[in-house]
Amino acid sequence: MLRNKIEPFFLLGAPRSGTTMLRDLFKQIDDLYSPEETHVFRWAAPFRGGEYDSIYANNKTLKYHRELDGISNELFYELYNSSISRKNFNDKYCQKVAEIKGKKYWFEKTPQNIYGLPLIAEQYPNAKILHIIRHPYDVIKSLMVGKVIKVDEIVGAANYWAESIAIVQTLKPFLGERLVEIKYESLVTNPKEVFGEIVEKLSLDTSFDFDFSHLKYKNVDYGQYFSNEEFEIIHSICDKYIDLHNYDRFEAS
């Protein structure tokens, strides 16, 4: 049970940082639900401008997400065409999905919505922003393996991580206490305490008996995945934020 009615919150981060794992922990709460990734705030195009319209008309992944959410094409466009802003549309869509799934409240999890964080912060002035951070080596390796998102070039994979950190870091003074940051590594090694702190900051029920049994931390020999040249590229892009978040660097033998 939730303590009281709460403002929706947004779960963001670089792709492959653990946002899905964290979403699934929140979905253990009976009254709370997150739609599949919506990408409403991701795109650098004005809402309901031609380019924005085209994305939702043609993106196969987003169409599939709507099917999983139980939103028909007719219902989607009823919600979309009756909205005048991203917030207006996002509220209608997420609330409708929550209702379909039999839930009272919603939160939103789209990692790439981090590119629209300034708009989220402005249009949802009371919303908490939950930012999960994972070691860049793990994020980059996962993106290049491509089980969920495939990035062929190491420069692109590294910038997925570095840009997401840079955006949040730049907005920290504006977000203040609305920003809740968590490290993936801390969560999977000490889930009860770390997740309990997050739940408390989001004003959710801290007494709920969460199941953390699926959380596992794996030690990885990064030297098996990246060449020395690739490590140099990663560090040239990510070093500033590797230092900021106190992550270890690989040292070639």
Side-chain angles (χ1 to χ4, degrees), residues 187-248:
L187 177 62
V188 296
T189 55
N190 190 15
K192 187 172 183 178
E193 179 179 343
V194 173
F195 192 67
E197 291 174 356
I198 297 170
V199 168
E200 178 69 31
K201 289 178 180 179
L202 295 175
S203 300
L204 303 178
D205 187 355
T206 57
S207 65
F208 191 80
D209 187 17
F210 291 95
D211 178 12
F212 301 112
S213 61
H214 60 292
L215 303 188
K216 306 293 182 185
Y217 182 74
K218 296 180 180 179
N219 289 312
V220 177
D221 180 2
Y222 299 111
Q224 293 183 353
Y225 292 97
F226 303 117
S227 67
N228 287 340
E229 181 182 358
E230 288 174 324
F231 276 116
E232 289 180 4
I233 293 171
I234 292 170
H235 292 158
S236 67
I237 295 170
C238 301
D239 258 5
K240 176 180 179 181
Y241 299 114
I242 289 175
D243 289 339
L244 179 68
H245 292 290
N246 298 310
Y247 279 124
D248 293 332

Side-chain angles (χ1 to χ4, degrees), residues 139-202:
V139 171
I140 293 164
K141 175 178 71 68
S142 183
L143 287 170
M144 296 188 74
V145 168
K147 289 184 178 180
V148 179
I149 300 174
K150 177 67 173 173
V151 180
D152 293 320
E153 295 290 335
I154 196 164
V155 170
N159 275 304
Y160 252 121
W161 187 84
E163 289 179 2
S164 69
I165 302 293
I167 291 166
V168 173
Q169 191 63 24
T170 301
L171 291 176
K172 271 186 177 181
F174 175 74
L175 293 172
E177 293 185 358
R178 293 170 56 194
L179 178 65
V180 179
E181 287 194 297
I182 177 178
K183 278 189 172 181
Y184 170 92
E185 296 81 7
S186 299
L187 177 62
V188 296
T189 55
N190 190 15
K192 187 172 183 178
E193 179 179 343
V194 173
F195 192 67
E197 291 174 356
I198 297 170
V199 168
E200 178 69 31
K201 289 178 180 179
L202 295 175

Side-chain angles (χ1 to χ4, degrees), residues 77-95:
Y77 279 104
E78 179 184 325
L79 300 172
Y80 185 83
N81 291 327
S82 65
S83 300
I84 61 171
S85 69
R86 296 186 201 225
K87 180 184 186 301
N88 192 207
F89 173 56
N90 192 66
D91 285 348
K92 290 179 181 180
Y93 184 91
C94 292
Q95 188 58 49

